[in-house]
Amino acid sequence: MFKRRKQQMVYCDECGGRFKLRPQVEKIKDDIERVHFVCKHCKHDYTAYYTNNYIKQKQKEIREVGMRDIKKRMEIEKEIKAEMNNLRRKYE
Ligand SMILES: [Zn+2]
């Protein structure tokens, strides 16, 4: 028996096909990046989320906080979510 590397399988909303989730990063402009993945069957392009330096900084803060301070952690997560929504509105 050999172990297979676990990879998330998802179903495509457009064609119903099943494919491996392989996120790719596309540069939008300046520090803004779009993380997305493409259905291998119908080539439909799904946006996972947008990110920028601000969000990366916040994600770093979350790693530093860890599980020591849940309240702080939730605050930062809220800030990340708000910024991701902003970017999505702007660039989608
Ligand atoms: Zn598809």
Side-chain angles (χ1 to χ4, degrees):
M1 285 285 275
F2 61 93
K3 271 185 193 160
R4 269 190 204 183
R5 211 155 58 91
K6 246 196 188 162
Q7 222 165 0
Q8 207 184 338
M9 298 292 287
V10 290
Y11 287 96
C12 175
D13 288 340
E14 294 298 311
C15 71
R18 204 162 170 249
F19 63 98
K20 280 179 193 159
L21 197 57
R22 282 204 187 110
Q24 293 162 339
V25 179
E26 175 195 21
K27 202 170 159 60
I28 302 286
K29 68 166 200 171
D30 302 329
D31 63 331
I32 298 151
E33 292 168 344
R34 183 172 77 102
V35 179
H36 69 119
F37 50 92
V38 177
C39 169
K40 71 169 181 178
H41 306 285
C42 70
K43 309 292 178 218
H44 189 82
D45 194 330
Y46 292 92
T47 300
Y49 58 89
Y50 289 87
T51 187
N52 60 12
N53 286 344
Y54 173 85
I55 290 171
K56 284 176 190 165
Q57 175 58 35
K58 290 286 168 191
Q59 285 169 332
K60 203 174 141 218
E61 282 175 33
I62 281 201
R63 281 196 295 274
E64 281 161 11
V65 169
M67 288 298 170
R68 277 172 302 144
D69 189 341
I70 299 297
K71 199 167 162 248
K72 176 88 184 150
R73 190 186 174 87
M74 279 167 67
E75 265 171 37
I76 303 172
E77 278 174 359
K78 235 167 108 181
E79 286 166 351
I80 292 176
K81 218 177 158 188
E83 180 67 8
M84 279 181 178
N85 285 340
N86 273 339
L87 293 177
R88 198 179 272 268
R89 271 199 297 272
K90 255 193 214 159
Y91 297 104
E92 201 160 61

